[in-house]
Amino acid sequence: MTLYFIGLGLSDEKDISVKGLEAVERCGAVYLEHYTSVLNCAKQDLEKFYGKRVILATRALVEQDAEATILKDAAEKDTAFLVIGDPFCATTHVDLYLRARKAGIACRIIHNASVISAVGVTGLQVYKFGKTTSIPFSNEQVDSPYEAMKENRKMGMHTLFLLDLDPIEGRYMTVGDAIRYLLRAALRKGDGGFKDSTLCVGCARLGAKDPIIKAGSASQLLKADFGKPVHCLIVPGQLHFVEEEALTLWKKENIQ
């Protein structure tokens, strides 16, 4: 019996790879991780396309109850654990993999596109990104995302901010929320590490049919409408001339 960690890509039910779909079709149980991101389709769309019942896996189920659910099923039959993006771009999933291996369960990983690679569409060179960091909803006294950005910029590196979400409650942090956090953190620190004039790149729904990418100052992007989730924010570091040229494309987008 095998536990398959299968990346779904970034948009909808059709982003799964052929190899991933073949694995799902072999599985007797199919779980969809339901807390680190969301697709631009409903669970029912996945079930129709895969021909399988899909079980939503909350954070509590994966982190606390996996032994009685996912791992129990995987010990008895081929089981799929579906992850939006790539399976191993969140440490939670590495933890589940390690627990499965310790339990003697065979594991197979089927990769897919991730936001970590998709940000390359902005024209910023992926290998020039420094530490990726996340901004949580409750961030009034949280400094680590801001400090990560400052350290990256000291080295001329770009910073990708992944933004908090709660699919169960329907809460999603926006590009504007992230910028307001950085402005507050800079004010609290008093070090001028982020200003209204700081160049930013806001992204929404990368990999979907209707992605939005806008580049401009922090104050400009605060006024922009990025629409539905999922959003992320990039604060560029030192720019290569090709990156500068690429960003002009997104600066021409309407700032609304």
PDB file of all heavy atoms in Angstrom, residues 120-154:
ATOM      1  N   GLY A 120       7.874  33.699 -11.065  1.00  0.00           N
ATOM      2  CA  GLY A 120       8.761  34.036 -12.171  1.00  0.00           C
ATOM      3  C   GLY A 120       8.057  34.778 -13.291  1.00  0.00           C
ATOM      4  O   GLY A 120       8.700  35.483 -14.077  1.00  0.00           O
ATOM      5  N   VAL A 121       6.721  34.655 -13.363  1.00  0.00           N
ATOM      6  CA  VAL A 121       5.967  35.355 -14.404  1.00  0.00           C
ATOM      7  C   VAL A 121       6.072  36.868 -14.248  1.00  0.00           C
ATOM      8  O   VAL A 121       5.868  37.617 -15.207  1.00  0.00           O
ATOM      9  CB  VAL A 121       4.483  34.908 -14.388  1.00  0.00           C
ATOM     10  CG1 VAL A 121       3.754  35.474 -13.173  1.00  0.00           C
ATOM     11  CG2 VAL A 121       3.772  35.323 -15.674  1.00  0.00           C
ATOM     12  N   THR A 122       6.415  37.341 -13.065  1.00  0.00           N
ATOM     13  CA  THR A 122       6.569  38.782 -12.855  1.00  0.00           C
ATOM     14  C   THR A 122       7.776  39.340 -13.591  1.00  0.00           C
ATOM     15  O   THR A 122       7.881  40.549 -13.799  1.00  0.00           O
ATOM     16  CB  THR A 122       6.734  39.104 -11.358  1.00  0.00           C
ATOM     17  OG1 THR A 122       7.941  38.486 -10.870  1.00  0.00           O
ATOM     18  CG2 THR A 122       5.539  38.617 -10.555  1.00  0.00           C
ATOM     19  N   GLY A 123       8.703  38.457 -13.972  1.00  0.00           N
ATOM     20  CA  GLY A 123       9.950  38.893 -14.585  1.00  0.00           C
ATOM     21  C   GLY A 123      11.096  38.975 -13.596  1.00  0.00           C
ATOM     22  O   GLY A 123      12.248  39.177 -13.989  1.00  0.00           O
ATOM     23  N   LEU A 124      10.787  38.823 -12.316  1.00  0.00           N
ATOM     24  CA  LEU A 124      11.840  38.773 -11.304  1.00  0.00           C
ATOM     25  C   LEU A 124      12.483  37.392 -11.335  1.00  0.00           C
ATOM     26  O   LEU A 124      11.793  36.378 -11.422  1.00  0.00           O
ATOM     27  CB  LEU A 124      11.256  39.058  -9.918  1.00  0.00           C
ATOM     28  CG  LEU A 124      10.648  40.452  -9.732  1.00  0.00           C
ATOM     29  CD1 LEU A 124       9.975  40.565  -8.375  1.00  0.00           C
ATOM     30  CD2 LEU A 124      11.705  41.537  -9.900  1.00  0.00           C
ATOM     31  N   GLN A 125      13.797  37.353 -11.273  1.00  0.00           N
ATOM     32  CA  GLN A 125      14.520  36.092 -11.415  1.00  0.00           C
ATOM     33  C   GLN A 125      14.380  35.266 -10.140  1.00  0.00           C
ATOM     34  O   GLN A 125      14.691  35.731  -9.044  1.00  0.00           O
ATOM     35  CB  GLN A 125      15.985  36.383 -11.733  1.00  0.00           C
ATOM     36  CG  GLN A 125      16.146  37.118 -13.057  1.00  0.00           C
ATOM     37  CD  GLN A 125      17.548  37.651 -13.288  1.00  0.00           C
ATOM     38  OE1 GLN A 125      18.446  37.438 -12.488  1.00  0.00           O
ATOM     39  NE2 GLN A 125      17.733  38.356 -14.395  1.00  0.00           N
ATOM     40  N   VAL A 126      13.898  34.046 -10.293  1.00  0.00           N
ATOM     41  CA  VAL A 126      13.562  33.211  -9.142  1.00  0.00           C
ATOM     42  C   VAL A 126      14.775  32.963  -8.252  1.00  0.00           C
ATOM     43  O   VAL A 126      14.659  32.928  -7.024  1.00  0.00           O
ATOM     44  CB  VAL A 126      12.937  31.879  -9.615  1.00  0.00           C
ATOM     45  CG1 VAL A 126      12.738  30.930  -8.445  1.00  0.00           C
ATOM     46  CG2 VAL A 126      11.601  32.145 -10.308  1.00  0.00           C
ATOM     47  N   TYR A 127      15.956  32.812  -8.847  1.00  0.00           N
ATOM     48  CA  TYR A 127      17.131  32.522  -8.022  1.00  0.00           C
ATOM     49  C   TYR A 127      17.613  33.739  -7.236  1.00  0.00           C
ATOM     50  O   TYR A 127      18.532  33.633  -6.425  1.00  0.00           O
ATOM     51  CB  TYR A 127      18.269  31.946  -8.866  1.00  0.00           C
ATOM     52  CG  TYR A 127      18.849  32.872  -9.909  1.00  0.00           C
ATOM     53  CD1 TYR A 127      19.822  33.805  -9.571  1.00  0.00           C
ATOM     54  CD2 TYR A 127      18.438  32.800 -11.239  1.00  0.00           C
ATOM     55  CE1 TYR A 127      20.358  34.654 -10.529  1.00  0.00           C
ATOM     56  CE2 TYR A 127      18.971  33.645 -12.199  1.00  0.00           C
ATOM     57  CZ  TYR A 127      19.929  34.570 -11.841  1.00  0.00           C
ATOM     58  OH  TYR A 127      20.462  35.405 -12.790  1.00  0.00           O
ATOM     59  N   LYS A 128      16.986  34.908  -7.462  1.00  0.00           N
ATOM     60  CA  LYS A 128      17.343  36.101  -6.702  1.00  0.00           C
ATOM     61  C   LYS A 128      16.380  36.366  -5.546  1.00  0.00           C
ATOM     62  O   LYS A 128      16.450  37.409  -4.905  1.00  0.00           O
ATOM     63  CB  LYS A 128      17.400  37.318  -7.624  1.00  0.00           C
ATOM     64  CG  LYS A 128      18.615  37.326  -8.550  1.00  0.00           C
ATOM     65  CD  LYS A 128      18.636  38.552  -9.439  1.00  0.00           C
ATOM     66  CE  LYS A 128      18.688  39.831  -8.632  1.00  0.00           C
ATOM     67  NZ  LYS A 128      18.653  41.028  -9.506  1.00  0.00           N
ATOM     68  N   PHE A 129      15.482  35.414  -5.283  1.00  0.00           N
ATOM     69  CA  PHE A 129      14.619  35.535  -4.116  1.00  0.00           C
ATOM     70  C   PHE A 129      15.362  35.032  -2.889  1.00  0.00           C
ATOM     71  O   PHE A 129      16.025  33.993  -2.924  1.00  0.00           O
ATOM     72  CB  PHE A 129      13.327  34.731  -4.300  1.00  0.00           C
ATOM     73  CG  PHE A 129      12.277  35.452  -5.102  1.00  0.00           C
ATOM     74  CD1 PHE A 129      12.366  35.515  -6.483  1.00  0.00           C
ATOM     75  CD2 PHE A 129      11.213  36.077  -4.476  1.00  0.00           C
ATOM     76  CE1 PHE A 129      11.411  36.181  -7.232  1.00  0.00           C
ATOM     77  CE2 PHE A 129      10.246  36.750  -5.212  1.00  0.00           C
ATOM     78  CZ  PHE A 129      10.346  36.806  -6.593  1.00  0.00           C
ATOM     79  N   GLY A 130      15.234  35.780  -1.796  1.00  0.00           N
ATOM     80  CA  GLY A 130      15.804  35.341  -0.531  1.00  0.00           C
ATOM     81  C   GLY A 130      14.800  34.517   0.247  1.00  0.00           C
ATOM     82  O   GLY A 130      13.987  33.794  -0.337  1.00  0.00           O
ATOM     83  N   LYS A 131      14.832  34.641   1.555  1.00  0.00           N
ATOM     84  CA  LYS A 131      13.939  33.864   2.409  1.00  0.00           C
ATOM     85  C   LYS A 131      12.485  34.219   2.130  1.00  0.00           C
ATOM     86  O   LYS A 131      12.102  35.384   2.121  1.00  0.00           O
ATOM     87  CB  LYS A 131      14.258  34.137   3.883  1.00  0.00           C
ATOM     88  CG  LYS A 131      13.372  33.378   4.848  1.00  0.00           C
ATOM     89  CD  LYS A 131      13.721  33.693   6.294  1.00  0.00           C
ATOM     90  CE  LYS A 131      12.806  32.936   7.249  1.00  0.00           C
ATOM     91  NZ  LYS A 131      13.124  33.227   8.665  1.00  0.00           N
ATOM     92  N   THR A 132      11.667  33.204   1.888  1.00  0.00           N
ATOM     93  CA  THR A 132      10.224  33.391   1.763  1.00  0.00           C
ATOM     94  C   THR A 132       9.623  33.424   3.162  1.00  0.00           C
ATOM     95  O   THR A 132      10.031  32.665   4.044  1.00  0.00           O
ATOM     96  CB  THR A 132       9.604  32.245   0.951  1.00  0.00           C
ATOM     97  OG1 THR A 132      10.147  32.264  -0.373  1.00  0.00           O
ATOM     98  CG2 THR A 132       8.091  32.377   0.874  1.00  0.00           C
ATOM     99  N   THR A 133       8.645  34.297   3.367  1.00  0.00           N
ATOM    100  CA  THR A 133       8.063  34.435   4.694  1.00  0.00           C
ATOM    101  C   THR A 133       6.552  34.591   4.586  1.00  0.00           C
ATOM    102  O   THR A 133       6.027  34.903   3.515  1.00  0.00           O
ATOM    103  CB  THR A 133       8.691  35.636   5.441  1.00  0.00           C
ATOM    104  OG1 THR A 133       8.209  35.683   6.783  1.00  0.00           O
ATOM    105  CG2 THR A 133       8.379  36.946   4.735  1.00  0.00           C
ATOM    106  N   SER A 134       5.855  34.346   5.681  1.00  0.00           N
ATOM    107  CA  SER A 134       4.394  34.422   5.712  1.00  0.00           C
ATOM    108  C   SER A 134       3.949  35.505   6.685  1.00  0.00           C
ATOM    109  O   SER A 134       4.562  35.692   7.740  1.00  0.00           O
ATOM    110  CB  SER A 134       3.793  33.082   6.146  1.00  0.00           C
ATOM    111  OG  SER A 134       4.159  32.052   5.258  1.00  0.00           O
ATOM    112  N   ILE A 135       2.871  36.190   6.337  1.00  0.00           N
ATOM    113  CA  ILE A 135       2.281  37.196   7.227  1.00  0.00           C
ATOM    114  C   ILE A 135       0.976  36.629   7.775  1.00  0.00           C
ATOM    115  O   ILE A 135       0.054  36.343   7.014  1.00  0.00           O
ATOM    116  CB  ILE A 135       2.015  38.512   6.486  1.00  0.00           C
ATOM    117  CG1 ILE A 135       3.313  39.060   5.878  1.00  0.00           C
ATOM    118  CG2 ILE A 135       1.396  39.542   7.437  1.00  0.00           C
ATOM    119  CD1 ILE A 135       3.121  40.329   5.062  1.00  0.00           C
ATOM    120  N   PRO A 136       0.869  36.458   9.094  1.00  0.00           N
ATOM    121  CA  PRO A 136      -0.354  35.907   9.687  1.00  0.00           C
ATOM    122  C   PRO A 136      -1.422  36.984   9.880  1.00  0.00           C
ATOM    123  O   PRO A 136      -1.131  38.182   9.858  1.00  0.00           O
ATOM    124  CB  PRO A 136       0.134  35.377  11.037  1.00  0.00           C
ATOM    125  CG  PRO A 136       1.250  36.315  11.397  1.00  0.00           C
ATOM    126  CD  PRO A 136       1.924  36.673  10.094  1.00  0.00           C
ATOM    127  N   PHE A 137      -2.656  36.548  10.083  1.00  0.00           N
ATOM    128  CA  PHE A 137      -3.732  37.499  10.355  1.00  0.00           C
ATOM    129  C   PHE A 137      -3.424  38.333  11.597  1.00  0.00           C
ATOM    130  O   PHE A 137      -3.557  39.553  11.586  1.00  0.00           O
ATOM    131  CB  PHE A 137      -5.059  36.756  10.575  1.00  0.00           C
ATOM    132  CG  PHE A 137      -5.689  36.231   9.313  1.00  0.00           C
ATOM    133  CD1 PHE A 137      -5.974  34.882   9.183  1.00  0.00           C
ATOM    134  CD2 PHE A 137      -6.013  37.080   8.268  1.00  0.00           C
ATOM    135  CE1 PHE A 137      -6.572  34.390   8.034  1.00  0.00           C
ATOM    136  CE2 PHE A 137      -6.608  36.598   7.105  1.00  0.00           C
ATOM    137  CZ  PHE A 137      -6.887  35.246   6.992  1.00  0.00           C
ATOM    138  N   SER A 138      -3.052  37.670  12.668  1.00  0.00           N
ATOM    139  CA  SER A 138      -2.742  38.372  13.921  1.00  0.00           C
ATOM    140  C   SER A 138      -1.268  38.770  13.890  1.00  0.00           C
ATOM    141  O   SER A 138      -0.388  37.965  14.199  1.00  0.00           O
ATOM    142  CB  SER A 138      -3.031  37.469  15.127  1.00  0.00           C
ATOM    143  OG  SER A 138      -4.399  37.111  15.165  1.00  0.00           O
ATOM    144  N   ASN A 139      -1.009  40.002  13.486  1.00  0.00           N
ATOM    145  CA  ASN A 139       0.385  40.393  13.237  1.00  0.00           C
ATOM    146  C   ASN A 139       0.798  41.685  13.931  1.00  0.00           C
ATOM    147  O   ASN A 139       1.857  42.237  13.625  1.00  0.00           O
ATOM    148  CB  ASN A 139       0.614  40.531  11.730  1.00  0.00           C
ATOM    149  CG  ASN A 139      -0.364  41.493  11.068  1.00  0.00           C
ATOM    150  OD1 ASN A 139      -0.593  42.597  11.552  1.00  0.00           O
ATOM    151  ND2 ASN A 139      -0.941  41.080   9.944  1.00  0.00           N
ATOM    152  N   GLU A 140      -0.018  42.148  14.896  1.00  0.00           N
ATOM    153  CA  GLU A 140       0.259  43.444  15.509  1.00  0.00           C
ATOM    154  C   GLU A 140       1.640  43.501  16.161  1.00  0.00           C
ATOM    155  O   GLU A 140       2.310  44.533  16.129  1.00  0.00           O
ATOM    156  CB  GLU A 140      -0.822  43.785  16.544  1.00  0.00           C
ATOM    157  CG  GLU A 140      -2.189  44.102  15.952  1.00  0.00           C
ATOM    158  CD  GLU A 140      -2.932  42.858  15.484  1.00  0.00           C
ATOM    159  OE1 GLU A 140      -2.483  41.732  15.820  1.00  0.00           O
ATOM    160  OE2 GLU A 140      -3.946  42.996  14.783  1.00  0.00           O
ATOM    161  N   GLN A 141       2.061  42.402  16.759  1.00  0.00           N
ATOM    162  CA  GLN A 141       3.360  42.370  17.431  1.00  0.00           C
ATOM    163  C   GLN A 141       4.321  41.379  16.776  1.00  0.00           C
ATOM    164  O   GLN A 141       5.280  40.933  17.404  1.00  0.00           O
ATOM    165  CB  GLN A 141       3.167  42.017  18.913  1.00  0.00           C
ATOM    166  CG  GLN A 141       2.285  42.988  19.680  1.00  0.00           C
ATOM    167  CD  GLN A 141       2.833  44.406  19.662  1.00  0.00           C
ATOM    168  OE1 GLN A 141       4.043  44.615  19.788  1.00  0.00           O
ATOM    169  NE2 GLN A 141       1.952  45.387  19.515  1.00  0.00           N
ATOM    170  N   VAL A 142       4.059  41.047  15.527  1.00  0.00           N
ATOM    171  CA  VAL A 142       4.892  40.081  14.804  1.00  0.00           C
ATOM    172  C   VAL A 142       5.902  40.835  13.946  1.00  0.00           C
ATOM    173  O   VAL A 142       5.522  41.645  13.100  1.00  0.00           O
ATOM    174  CB  VAL A 142       4.020  39.167  13.918  1.00  0.00           C
ATOM    175  CG1 VAL A 142       4.899  38.264  13.066  1.00  0.00           C
ATOM    176  CG2 VAL A 142       3.078  38.341  14.783  1.00  0.00           C
ATOM    177  N   ASP A 143       7.177  40.569  14.169  1.00  0.00           N
ATOM    178  CA  ASP A 143       8.233  41.279  13.446  1.00  0.00           C
ATOM    179  C   ASP A 143       8.967  40.418  12.424  1.00  0.00           C
ATOM    180  O   ASP A 143       9.656  40.952  11.547  1.00  0.00           O
ATOM    181  CB  ASP A 143       9.268  41.830  14.439  1.00  0.00           C
ATOM    182  CG  ASP A 143       8.701  42.919  15.331  1.00  0.00           C
ATOM    183  OD1 ASP A 143       7.808  43.651  14.869  1.00  0.00           O
ATOM    184  OD2 ASP A 143       9.148  43.026  16.488  1.00  0.00           O
ATOM    185  N   SER A 144       8.851  39.088  12.522  1.00  0.00           N
ATOM    186  CA  SER A 144       9.707  38.218  11.709  1.00  0.00           C
ATOM    187  C   SER A 144       9.530  38.410  10.199  1.00  0.00           C
ATOM    188  O   SER A 144      10.542  38.403   9.471  1.00  0.00           O
ATOM    189  CB  SER A 144       9.507  36.751  12.101  1.00  0.00           C
ATOM    190  OG  SER A 144       8.147  36.379  12.023  1.00  0.00           O
ATOM    191  N   PRO A 145       8.319  38.612   9.656  1.00  0.00           N
ATOM    192  CA  PRO A 145       8.231  38.840   8.204  1.00  0.00           C
ATOM    193  C   PRO A 145       8.942  40.123   7.775  1.00  0.00           C
ATOM    194  O   PRO A 145       9.630  40.152   6.747  1.00  0.00           O
ATOM    195  CB  PRO A 145       6.718  38.922   7.946  1.00  0.00           C
ATOM    196  CG  PRO A 145       6.092  38.205   9.102  1.00  0.00           C
ATOM    197  CD  PRO A 145       6.976  38.500  10.263  1.00  0.00           C
ATOM    198  N   TYR A 146       8.770  41.159   8.566  1.00  0.00           N
ATOM    199  CA  TYR A 146       9.423  42.440   8.273  1.00  0.00           C
ATOM    200  C   TYR A 146      10.942  42.303   8.344  1.00  0.00           C
ATOM    201  O   TYR A 146      11.668  42.788   7.461  1.00  0.00           O
ATOM    202  CB  TYR A 146       8.925  43.489   9.265  1.00  0.00           C
ATOM    203  CG  TYR A 146       9.543  44.855   9.099  1.00  0.00           C
ATOM    204  CD1 TYR A 146       9.171  45.682   8.043  1.00  0.00           C
ATOM    205  CD2 TYR A 146      10.482  45.324  10.010  1.00  0.00           C
ATOM    206  CE1 TYR A 146       9.738  46.945   7.897  1.00  0.00           C
ATOM    207  CE2 TYR A 146      11.048  46.579   9.876  1.00  0.00           C
ATOM    208  CZ  TYR A 146      10.672  47.384   8.818  1.00  0.00           C
ATOM    209  OH  TYR A 146      11.235  48.631   8.672  1.00  0.00           O
ATOM    210  N   GLU A 147      11.428  41.624   9.372  1.00  0.00           N
ATOM    211  CA  GLU A 147      12.873  41.446   9.530  1.00  0.00           C
ATOM    212  C   GLU A 147      13.450  40.587   8.402  1.00  0.00           C
ATOM    213  O   GLU A 147      14.570  40.834   7.935  1.00  0.00           O
ATOM    214  CB  GLU A 147      13.184  40.811  10.886  1.00  0.00           C
ATOM    215  CG  GLU A 147      12.834  41.692  12.082  1.00  0.00           C
ATOM    216  CD  GLU A 147      13.645  42.979  12.129  1.00  0.00           C
ATOM    217  OE1 GLU A 147      14.756  43.011  11.550  1.00  0.00           O
ATOM    218  OE2 GLU A 147      13.171  43.958  12.733  1.00  0.00           O
ATOM    219  N   ALA A 148      12.693  39.586   7.955  1.00  0.00           N
ATOM    220  CA  ALA A 148      13.154  38.753   6.838  1.00  0.00           C
ATOM    221  C   ALA A 148      13.327  39.597   5.580  1.00  0.00           C
ATOM    222  O   ALA A 148      14.304  39.442   4.837  1.00  0.00           O
ATOM    223  CB  ALA A 148      12.165  37.617   6.589  1.00  0.00           C
ATOM    224  N   MET A 149      12.369  40.505   5.337  1.00  0.00           N
ATOM    225  CA  MET A 149      12.472  41.390   4.176  1.00  0.00           C
ATOM    226  C   MET A 149      13.715  42.271   4.272  1.00  0.00           C
ATOM    227  O   MET A 149      14.453  42.439   3.288  1.00  0.00           O
ATOM    228  CB  MET A 149      11.227  42.264   4.071  1.00  0.00           C
ATOM    229  CG  MET A 149      11.264  43.271   2.930  1.00  0.00           C
ATOM    230  SD  MET A 149      10.181  44.686   3.215  1.00  0.00           S
ATOM    231  CE  MET A 149      11.006  45.491   4.603  1.00  0.00           C
ATOM    232  N   LYS A 150      13.970  42.829   5.444  1.00  0.00           N
ATOM    233  CA  LYS A 150      15.136  43.705   5.601  1.00  0.00           C
ATOM    234  C   LYS A 150      16.437  42.940   5.358  1.00  0.00           C
ATOM    235  O   LYS A 150      17.352  43.454   4.699  1.00  0.00           O
ATOM    236  CB  LYS A 150      15.142  44.329   6.998  1.00  0.00           C
ATOM    237  CG  LYS A 150      14.086  45.390   7.213  1.00  0.00           C
ATOM    238  CD  LYS A 150      14.444  46.322   8.366  1.00  0.00           C
ATOM    239  CE  LYS A 150      14.706  45.566   9.635  1.00  0.00           C
ATOM    240  NZ  LYS A 150      15.125  46.450  10.746  1.00  0.00           N
ATOM    241  N   GLU A 151      16.522  41.726   5.883  1.00  0.00           N
ATOM    242  CA  GLU A 151      17.731  40.924   5.681  1.00  0.00           C
ATOM    243  C   GLU A 151      17.908  40.575   4.205  1.00  0.00           C
ATOM    244  O   GLU A 151      19.025  40.620   3.670  1.00  0.00           O
ATOM    245  CB  GLU A 151      17.666  39.651   6.529  1.00  0.00           C
ATOM    246  CG  GLU A 151      17.800  39.890   8.021  1.00  0.00           C
ATOM    247  CD  GLU A 151      19.104  40.592   8.369  1.00  0.00           C
ATOM    248  OE1 GLU A 151      20.170  40.156   7.881  1.00  0.00           O
ATOM    249  OE2 GLU A 151      19.058  41.586   9.119  1.00  0.00           O
ATOM    250  N   ASN A 152      16.817  40.231   3.538  1.00  0.00           N
ATOM    251  CA  ASN A 152      16.902  39.935   2.105  1.00  0.00           C
ATOM    252  C   ASN A 152      17.390  41.150   1.322  1.00  0.00           C
ATOM    253  O   ASN A 152      18.244  41.035   0.431  1.00  0.00           O
ATOM    254  CB  ASN A 152      15.534  39.497   1.574  1.00  0.00           C
ATOM    255  CG  ASN A 152      15.155  38.089   1.992  1.00  0.00           C
ATOM    256  OD1 ASN A 152      15.995  37.297   2.395  1.00  0.00           O
ATOM    257  ND2 ASN A 152      13.870  37.775   1.896  1.00  0.00           N
ATOM    258  N   ARG A 153      16.846  42.310   1.643  1.00  0.00           N
ATOM    259  CA  ARG A 153      17.195  43.514   0.883  1.00  0.00           C
ATOM    260  C   ARG A 153      18.647  43.929   1.119  1.00  0.00           C
ATOM    261  O   ARG A 153      19.283  44.508   0.235  1.00  0.00           O
ATOM    262  CB  ARG A 153      16.237  44.651   1.231  1.00  0.00           C
ATOM    263  CG  ARG A 153      14.794  44.360   0.830  1.00  0.00           C
ATOM    264  CD  ARG A 153      13.914  45.575   0.941  1.00  0.00           C
ATOM    265  NE  ARG A 153      14.076  46.440  -0.225  1.00  0.00           N
ATOM    266  CZ  ARG A 153      13.535  47.654  -0.320  1.00  0.00           C
ATOM    267  NH1 ARG A 153      12.834  48.146   0.682  1.00  0.00           N
ATOM    268  NH2 ARG A 153      13.710  48.376  -1.401  1.00  0.00           N
ATOM    269  N   LYS A 154      19.181  43.631   2.297  1.00  0.00           N
ATOM    270  CA  LYS A 154      20.598  43.905   2.546  1.00  0.00           C
ATOM    271  C   LYS A 154      21.479  43.155   1.557  1.00  0.00           C
ATOM    272  O   LYS A 154      22.568  43.618   1.194  1.00  0.00           O
ATOM    273  CB  LYS A 154      20.972  43.492   3.975  1.00  0.00           C
ATOM    274  CG  LYS A 154      20.499  44.436   5.062  1.00  0.00           C
ATOM    275  CD  LYS A 154      20.936  43.923   6.424  1.00  0.00           C
ATOM    276  CE  LYS A 154      20.403  44.798   7.548  1.00  0.00           C
ATOM    277  NZ  LYS A 154      20.785  44.247   8.883  1.00  0.00           N
TER     278      LYS A 154
END
